[in-house]
Amino acid sequence: MEEHIVPNTELILVEYANEGPVTDAHLKIRETQLDIRSVGKDGSPGDVAVQNLWISVDPYLRQLMKESVDGLYFPNFQLNQAIRSGLVGKVVASSNPAFKVGDIVSGFYQVSEYAIVPGSNLRKIETTIAKPSDYLGVLGMPALTAWAGFIIVGEPKPGDEVFVSAAAGSVGMLVGQLAKIKGCRVVGSAGSDEKVKLLKEFGFDDAFNYKSETDWDAALSRYFPRGIDIYFDNVGGRMLEAVLNHINMNARIPVCGMISQYNQEWKQRFGVRNLLNLVGKCAKMEGFLCGNYLHRMGEFFEEMTGYIKQGKIKYKEDVKVGLDSFLEAFNSMFTGENMGKPVIYLGPPQ
C-alpha cells in the first residue's frame, strides 16, 4: 500500500436505537482506506487530514442515534454513516494555511482513526496549558456546559445551597467545584460509594449514593435542611420531582440533561407531577445548550485555565483504548459504571 493511503476504521450507525441500550446491532466498525494526500484536491480547499488521538464520549449522543428528533433539535446521525463527536487529533496533511502538519487540533466531526475535515471545523489547541484530552473535558464542551449553566443560567450567590445530580459525571464534577469557588454550599448525588468519595475529594460539602438511598425526598430533607437555591439538573425524572419539593423562593434550575430518560421513548418517560412548585416558589427552570455560549469562549477559557493553574479545579477521566471500546464507554454512562469523563484513546501506546 502506498504510504499516503492509510488503513482507516470508522464507527457507523447501521440501525436506529429508538429505545433501550445502544448495542452492536446499532453501531459497527467499518474498515476503509483514506488517501491523506487528497486534501484540497476534490474542490474543497481548506481541508485538513487528521489522525485522531482522543474521542469524547458524551450522553447527548444517545439522542442523535434515534430516528426522530427527540428534544435536542440537533441533526440526527444518518444510517450507514460515521457518527460524530468531539475529537482531538494530529494534522497529517493540510491544504489550509492555518494548519500545518503536526498541529494538535480539536473539533466535532466523524468518529474514525483518520478523517478529512474542513479547517473551519477545527481549532488548534495549546498543549503547554493542558494535555490534549483536557480539551474534551475540563477545557472542552463539558466544562463550557458547566460554566455557562451554573454561572450564567444559575446565577450563584455566596451562601446559596446547591444540589448537583450526576455529580461525578463530566459536567457535574465541574459544577460542584465552581459552586465552591463562588462561595456556595454544594451537595452531589452519584451512583456508587466510590463516586461519593471522589466528590468529597473534589471539595463537595457532601454527597450521597442515589442507588442506596431508598427515599430521595427524605434524603434531600437531611442534606438540605435550609432548602435548595440552585439545582443543576443532569438527570430529570424522579430526581427532578424530589428536588421540586425542596426548592426555595426564587430558586434556579439550569436544565442540562435528562440522562435517566434517554433510553426510553418519550411517551414512556416519567412525568414530573409537582411542577406547580415552580409557580409557588417563583422559581426559574431554564434549559440551555453550551453552543449558545460560544461567543463567551474567551471569557470561559481564561477563567477555567486560571482555576486550573491555581489548583482550584480537579478532573477525572475514564480512559478506554481503541475504537472497539466505544460501546463499553458509552453505555457505562447510563449504568453509572464510569468513573469520570469517558474518553477513548486512539494514539500510539503510552
Side-chain angles (χ1 to χ4, degrees), residues 35-294:
D35 182 356
I36 61 175
R37 286 200 322 198
S38 67
V39 293
K41 295 180 179 179
D42 60 352
S44 302
D47 281 357
V48 178
V50 181
Q51 179 185 7
N52 292 318
L53 302 174
W54 293 93
I55 303 170
S56 182
V57 183
D58 300 287
Y60 75 91
L61 298 175
R62 179 66 186 86
Q63 299 301 91
L64 308 185
M65 298 178 191
K66 299 181 179 182
E67 187 170 10
S68 59
V69 173
D70 185 17
L72 292 183
Y73 303 100
F74 296 150
N76 288 8
F77 298 142
Q78 299 300 303
L79 289 182
N80 300 312
Q81 299 293 320
I83 68 168
R84 301 180 304 281
S85 187
L87 296 101
V88 166
K90 179 175 67 174
V91 174
V92 293
S94 176
S95 66
N96 191 314
F99 301 96
K100 65 181 186 297
V101 172
D103 283 345
I104 305 299
V105 296
S106 67
F108 183 85
Y109 52 93
Q110 62 265 36
V111 174
S112 55
E113 289 187 282
Y114 289 85
I116 293 179
V117 187
S120 58
N121 288 4
L122 299 173
R123 66 184 180 108
K124 278 195 284 192
I125 60 176
E126 180 52 71
T127 56
T128 60
I129 296 174
K131 64 184 190 295
S133 61
D134 284 341
Y135 288 85
L136 301 177
V138 70
L139 289 175
M141 181 273 293
L144 178 60
T145 301
W147 181 85
F150 184 69
I151 302 299
I152 301 174
V153 180
E155 300 177 306
K157 302 184 295 292
D160 275 348
E161 297 278 333
V162 178
F163 178 47
V164 185
S165 55
S170 59
V171 174
M173 68 174 73
L174 293 173
V175 172
Q177 293 176 82
L178 287 172
K180 292 305 299 177
I181 290 170
K182 299 301 180 181
C184 305
R185 176 180 176 270
V186 60
V187 177
S189 65
S192 71
D193 292 342
E194 188 178 8
K195 289 182 177 181
V196 167
K197 180 181 177 183
L198 177 69
L199 294 178
K200 293 178 180 179
E201 291 172 356
F202 280 3
F204 282 64
D205 292 285
D206 218 331
F208 65 89
N209 181 346
Y210 70 84
K211 292 182 179 178
S212 60
E213 288 282 358
T214 57
D215 186 336
W216 294 344
D217 191 69
L220 292 172
S221 291
R222 293 199 313 275
Y223 287 102
F224 291 99
R226 296 191 296 273
I228 296 171
D229 297 301
I230 301 176
Y231 170 46
F232 196 96
D233 188 12
N234 287 306
V235 302
R238 296 180 186 277
M239 185 62 81
L240 172 59
E241 183 174 270
V243 167
L244 290 178
N245 288 330
H246 298 271
I247 55 175
N248 289 330
M249 285 295 295
N250 301 308
R252 288 84 71 203
I253 304 177
V255 182
C256 177
M258 298 196 171
I259 193 172
S260 72
Q261 309 294 300
Y262 286 169
N263 278 339
Q264 297 168 289
E265 195 269 336
W266 75 270
K267 293 180 181 178
Q268 307 304 318
R269 292 173 184 160
F270 179 78
V272 176
R273 298 167 292 186
N274 56 350
L275 291 172
L276 189 61
N277 288 338
L278 295 170
V279 179
K281 293 299 176 70
C282 301
K284 179 182 77 169
M285 184 172 176
E286 181 177 342
F288 69 98
L289 297 172
C290 74
N292 293 338
Y293 297 93
L294 293 177

Side-chain angles (χ1 to χ4, degrees), residues 168-169 190-192 194-195 198 210-211 259 316-320 327-342:
S192 71
E194 188 178 8
K195 289 182 177 181
L198 177 69
Y210 70 84
K211 292 182 179 178
I259 193 172
K316 183 172 178 60
E317 295 175 331
D318 191 335
V319 179
K320 301 288 190 294
L327 268 177
E328 178 188 359
F330 184 73
N331 285 320
S332 72
M333 298 182 295
F334 298 90
T335 61
E337 295 173 5
N338 64 303
M339 275 293 292
K341 158 69 177 168

